[in-house]
Amino acid sequence: MSVDLEVDLGGLQLRNPVMPASGCFGFGREYGEYYSLDELGAVVVKATTLYPRLGNPTPRVTEVTGGMLNAIGLANPGLDEVLAEELPWLAGQNVPIFVNVAGDTVEDYCEVVEQVSRSGLAQAVELNVSCPNVKLGGLAFGVDATVLRGLVEEVRKVCTLPLFVKLSPNVTRVQDLALAAACGGADGLSLINTLIGMQIDLTTRKPVLANKTGGLSGRAIKPVAVRMVYDVAREVDLPIIGMGGIYSGRDAAEFIMAGAWAVEVGTANFTDPYACPRIIAELRSFMQEEGIKNIEEIRGCAL
Amino acid sequence: MLVEENKQLSRDIFALELTGEFPYEKATSGQFVNLLIGDGKGHPLRRPLSIASCNPETKTLTLVYRVVGDGTKWLSERCPGDVLDVLGPLGRGFPAPQNPGTVLVVGGGVGVPPLYQLAKELGAAGFKLHIVLGFKNQDDVFWTREFAEFGDVVVCTEDGSLGKKGFVTEALNVNENWTTLYSCGPKPMLKALKAHFQGRDIKGYVSLEERMACGVGACWGCTCLDPDGSAAKRICKEGPVFSWEEVSL
């Protein structure tokens, strides 16, 4: 049985619903040495800020049971280099590009989004308002509905590409933030970013990460992520990209049943560099086994 | 890859000999592999282990590791015939010496293993080697005889229980005519070495260690800074071997 994995993500045609998550895939070059990137539904690149960022002191990654903590701190080469060196290469790989954008101020976000829009090198923007590892910006915009709506409204004015807002799970009611982003003019939502966590080294008796806290990702967060996708899908009528602990085609199917239109794969890339193409193949097999002709048949079926 | 042998070398150091499919010809000293622990479900992050020895003729890859937690404990329990998922070789290894003359090789603790493959390569290329290996105490010492095949070896222990007492720098006379220094070990040792040879006409290389996630340069988890602190380098991609001039220690 041939199955159709194509997804229309609010006007953006993806050949399948699986894309690597921001921060877990650089700008595509590294995993491009392992497989052809045109197998992917899209690539979400590392958070890009107006100016280069070195990120937090090391150690900034550590393993925990069933997952990992990271406190990279939005290290990236900055907008100019991303536009000059990274996106032109990735644009030649025949895969839609989502540029994840972060900033310290509304002006920063707008400047980056405007230039990315104008560059003609990207197909969508993912607004990062949920990084738990930086003091300014990031999460500061993602936990207050009024602040978030204001930011999305301003960015919307300069964004000519489909605009996705990546939501934080570190809030009481994620639906409220989802609604705020929708009211601000978002075309879609991605969720969830990492959950704030900590690990203490019993020998040094101090936190392992130099930043002390870090974002929890991996298998451990999947049930939380599925629940949040479900909650948002019930209240907000926008395309959702679901993520959080996706390691298999069946995990991806679970998010789609919870209401996601597409999924992002993060930590799984570190465990298995071929995770994304494997998940696509597994999703196809799952659909064949279950007699699902079109992936859209199961979208939100659990709601 | 298939486990051929998994042997305890000292108090908490093990040598894992692997065979099977691996791009042996591509591997150079100083590179590493990223090894999956179990099926990855409990341990999502692979363990970066330096290549201690790589032999394309016998198709064997040797990794030496210290047992520090659950993951490496699991690894120490693998038996001949077990299959392991090995990703590599990864990173940039030790470059060849730019000048003829005696090469200085300095290792500390679990930083000693990658220098074995280096010593093997340099020995085969006809370089004269002076090798200094530092350990905490006699229970930690391993492979000193193996290294002696490639040059003269000085062993130091911090408590003096074996070899010279003290740190490796105390066993190094800066007036000797060494042209190149290769080192791997704890950061304070690498720092002390650089300071020890400050102003001397010697080319220095260090192999750095850091907690890693992807191991291939995608996540920016394992970075270090250049000397003026203005740019980051990925230890897994641009490193783990750097020249003294490239990084701040």
Side-chain angles (χ1 to χ4, degrees), chain A residues 88-101:
Chain A
W89 178 85
L90 188 53
Q93 306 305 306
N94 186 30
V95 63
I97 301 171
F98 280 60
V99 177
N100 184 288
V101 174

Side-chain angles (χ1 to χ4, degrees), chain A residues 68-112:
Chain A
M68 65 175 286
L69 297 170
N70 90 79
I72 310 289
L74 300 181
N76 80 93
L79 178 66
D80 288 349
E81 197 179 316
V82 169
L83 289 178
E85 305 292 334
E86 302 297 346
L87 296 186
W89 178 85
L90 188 53
Q93 306 305 306
N94 186 30
V95 63
I97 301 171
F98 280 60
V99 177
N100 184 288
V101 174
D104 289 341
T105 63
V106 175
E107 292 71 30
D108 282 5
Y109 276 101
C110 288
E111 179 68 26
V112 176

Side-chain angles (χ1 to χ4, degrees), chain B residues 15-146:
Chain B
L16 180 68
E17 200 175 287
L18 300 171
T19 187
E21 208 179 313
F22 184 77
Y24 299 96
E25 287 81 10
K26 283 192 195 161
T28 64
S29 62
Q31 287 189 293
F32 66 99
V33 297
N34 220 1
L35 196 145
L36 190 69
I37 301 297
D39 61 5
K41 279 189 173 148
H43 296 280
L45 298 188
R46 289 165 176 262
R47 298 300 189 267
L49 301 176
S50 63
I51 293 173
S53 179
C54 175
N55 191 334
E57 276 110 63
T58 57
K59 289 196 181 303
T60 49
L61 180 73
T62 309
L63 310 172
V64 174
Y65 58 97
R66 191 159 67 98
V67 174
V68 287
D70 289 348
T72 40
K73 181 172 183 291
W74 177 86
L75 196 56
S76 72
E77 291 158 358
R78 294 311 95 201
C79 299
D82 285 353
V83 176
L84 292 174
D85 180 333
V86 178
L87 187 69
L90 301 169
R92 191 179 64 158
F94 293 108
Q98 290 167 357
N99 301 306
T102 306
V103 171
L104 181 57
V105 175
V106 183
V110 78
V112 166
L115 300 171
Y116 179 77
Q117 175 66 23
L118 174 78
K120 206 167 67 168
E121 287 170 12
L122 294 179
F127 284 93
K128 197 164 172 279
L129 306 183
H130 182 69
I131 301 160
V132 181
L133 306 176
F135 302 93
K136 269 208 163 55
N137 63 55
Q138 60 182 356
D139 297 334
D140 296 315
V141 176
F142 64 93
W143 274 11
T144 52
R145 247 174 271 134
E146 282 78 353

